Amino acid sequence: MLASTGGVVALAGLGGMNRATAAGAQATAAAPAAKPLPEYAKWKNADALIVHSANTIETKRGAFGSSVITPSEHLFVRNNIAPPSLDIVKDPDAWTLEVAGVARPRSFTVAELKTMGLAALPMVLQCSGNGRAWFPSKPSGTQWTVGAAGCVIFTGVPVKAVLEAVGGMSEGMVYMTSTGGEDMPAGLDPKDVMVERSVPVSALEDAILAWELNGQPLSLAHGGPLRIVVPGYTGVNSVKYIKRLAFTKEQSPAKIQQTGYRLAPVGAKGESTQASIWEMPPKSWINTPSDPAQPVKAGRVVISGVAMGGMTAAKTIEVSINGGKDWQPAQFVGPDLGRYAWREFALAVQLEPGTYQLASRSTNAAGESQPEERMENNRGYLNNSWRDHMVTIKVA
Ligand SMILES: Nc1nc2c(c(=O)[nH]1)N[C@H]1C(S)=C(S)[C@@H](COP(=O)(O)O)O[C@H]1N2
Ligand SMILES: [Mo]
């Protein structure tokens, strides 16, 4: 009754039980220092979240659930600057998007976009800095561990359909550039603060302009009334409250594009000549059991977590209970929602009392595996090291 012989149904049941216990323990442990949720995110479940600041809210490791989709109330939030007023989501259909760098430039209301096509896109939304807390160089920025990520379903119109309606992009365009709808603080150069991101035009293939998240109108917290989502790319490229979509020859002149989100060597400043943070690599982590403060009962234990492939599907997932010395295949659990979604995985093991280092390692359809070590960089981006994501648990 060990390991790979465990049935899917049995695994799902046990996984749910362990998870609830772990989440409860973490909520109690985090309680004394808990900051309140900001007004725009009041509707979220505080017990499932770590509020780092009013603009940075992380999902607890035990609060992802085991049904593939991260509940909206548990989903992380990351704002680079204060979000716009809640007023903009009062009449979402009236929000306008300007489309430029195309044969027939024009604006569309969300109501008009809703007549142009519909696609549902299950995908991992993950901050570029998720896992930053493990960089020994102590990069500045939010000390995210695993919770600046979630797997959700966005619904909206394919960018391709919009492009078709405006006669295609103008000749020679190389980038798709999205501008966020934040109000610019007075007295600052807008270029220094605006959230405007460019991605290669190849990324438009599967990108959508979304007005719905997990079956509900898109909240302000997650970019309502309208947001572009670029699947497979890190979160920063999925610009919230999008007001302008432009096809451009150059990357945006905004600081967040030119020097921000660059793979700079440790100690060096970001520069436009360095690689931009765009595509995500394969990654996985264990969610249950994951609380070092909560001893696990000896006997049969179900280890479960999530695995993503980045730009292609997660294909295989392995688990180690001895710090990466030996690996065994785990099983994917639950529905396969496509290449950009993550998969839940589970492995049943028999554990005697002791201390165990639990690690997971995913490999995607392109054959790329998670490395043992992170790729060092000044701002702590793209951490997919299996060693960093390992958890040490006590079995009693
Ligand atoms: N307009 C705008 N879009 C934005 C941001 C922002 O600050 N403003 N933050 C980006 C970053 S860094 C991330 S990780 C994701 C977070 O999405 P979420 O808050 O819906 O979880 O949004 C991205 N899109
Ligand atoms: Mo981010």
Side-chain angles (χ1 to χ4, degrees):
M1 273 299 281
L2 287 192
S4 53
T5 55
V8 167
V9 173
L11 291 178
L14 277 174
M17 200 169 75
N18 284 355
R19 203 180 302 277
T21 321
Q26 287 189 9
T28 319
K35 293 192 183 97
L37 286 166
E39 197 55 42
Y40 72 86
K42 272 268 151 38
W43 54 274
K44 290 197 174 254
N45 181 344
D47 290 344
L49 298 162
I50 304 159
V51 181
H52 293 283
S53 76
N55 285 325
T56 47
I57 305 171
E58 174 165 8
T59 310
K60 285 179 184 166
R61 197 165 187 162
F64 286 101
S66 49
S67 64
V68 179
I69 296 302
T70 309
S72 301
E73 293 78 6
H74 294 197
L75 184 63
F76 83 104
V77 177
R78 159 60 163 142
N79 296 322
N80 294 70
I81 54 175
S85 156
L86 274 161
D87 290 347
I88 69 166
V89 287
K90 279 189 184 148
D91 183 8
D93 282 358
W95 181 263
T96 59
L97 172 75
E98 182 194 338
V99 181
V102 295
R104 294 187 299 274
R106 56 161 290 188
S107 289
F108 294 96
T109 62
V110 169
E112 287 171 317
L113 292 174
K114 285 180 176 171
T115 69
M116 294 166 59
L118 189 64
L121 178 57
M123 57 171 261
V124 173
L125 181 69
Q126 179 179 221
C127 184
S128 318
N130 198 29
R132 176 180 289 135
W134 288 299
F135 279 80
S137 56
K138 303 265 171 269
S140 62
T142 307
Q143 298 302 297
W144 311 108
T145 59
V146 296
C151 184
V152 292
I153 301 180
F154 283 105
T155 312
V157 62
V159 170
K160 267 167 114 176
V162 176
L163 207 43
E164 221 166 88
V166 292
M169 68 180 92
S170 306
E171 221 183 285
M173 298 310 178
V174 184
Y175 299 102
M176 177 168 76
T177 298
S178 306
T179 313
E182 285 103 339
D183 304 320
M184 290 296 105
L188 293 175
D189 184 345
K191 279 218 278 295
D192 287 346
V193 277
M194 71 198 291
V195 178
E196 187 174 270
R197 287 286 299 174
S198 304
V199 296
V201 286
S202 58
L204 75 82
E205 201 57 29
D206 294 320
I208 69 170
L209 289 155
W211 50 77
E212 196 178 295
L213 171 70
N214 290 346
Q216 290 172 321
L218 190 57
S219 62
L220 182 75
H222 297 298
L226 188 71
R227 172 186 205 163
I228 191 164
V229 279
V230 182
Y233 281 55
T234 62
V236 71
N237 300 292
S238 290
V239 172
K240 304 199 269 191
Y241 359 93
I242 185 173
K243 66 175 184 190
R244 188 167 190 267
L245 178 66
F247 295 89
T248 56
K249 289 195 169 124
E250 307 284 346
Q251 294 183 28
S252 165
K255 190 176 167 201
I256 198 171
Q257 181 74 33
Q258 290 295 320
T259 58
Y261 295 87
R262 295 281 169 175
L263 263 191
V266 174
K269 283 207 162 82
E271 284 173 40
S272 60
T273 49
Q274 298 152 350
S276 194
I277 305 297
W278 280 330
E279 299 183 352
M280 294 191 285
K283 183 166 173 176
S284 71
W285 61 83
I286 288 162
N287 286 320
T288 307
S290 66
D291 187 352
Q294 180 85 355
V296 174
K297 197 168 170 288
R300 186 177 154 107
V301 174
V302 174
I303 299 168
S304 71
V306 294
M308 68 189 86
M311 293 299 288
T312 64
K315 197 169 176 210
T316 56
I317 177 74
E318 303 157 282
V319 165
S320 171
I321 59 170
N322 58 7
K325 281 191 202 78
D326 303 291
W327 295 90
Q328 47 189 320
Q331 296 175 335
F332 288 130
V333 176
D336 177 355
L337 297 179
R339 64 198 280 210
Y340 299 118
W342 66 29
R343 299 294 308 268
E344 298 273 337
F345 66 83
L347 176 71
V349 290
Q350 192 73 28
L351 297 182
E352 306 306 323
T355 300
Y356 295 83
Q357 288 183 304
L358 310 183
S360 65
R361 182 170 69 184
S362 79
T363 300
N364 68 16
E368 300 155 341
S369 291
Q370 265 181 270
E372 178 170 359
E373 300 297 340
R374 76 198 82 75
M375 178 172 43
E376 302 299 344
N377 64 91
N378 197 46
R379 294 304 309 278
Y381 294 133
L382 302 179
N383 191 351
N384 68 337
S385 146
W386 61 252
R387 183 165 290 285
D388 283 352
H389 291 77
M390 191 159 77
V391 286
T392 302
I393 58 147
K394 282 201 175 60
V395 174

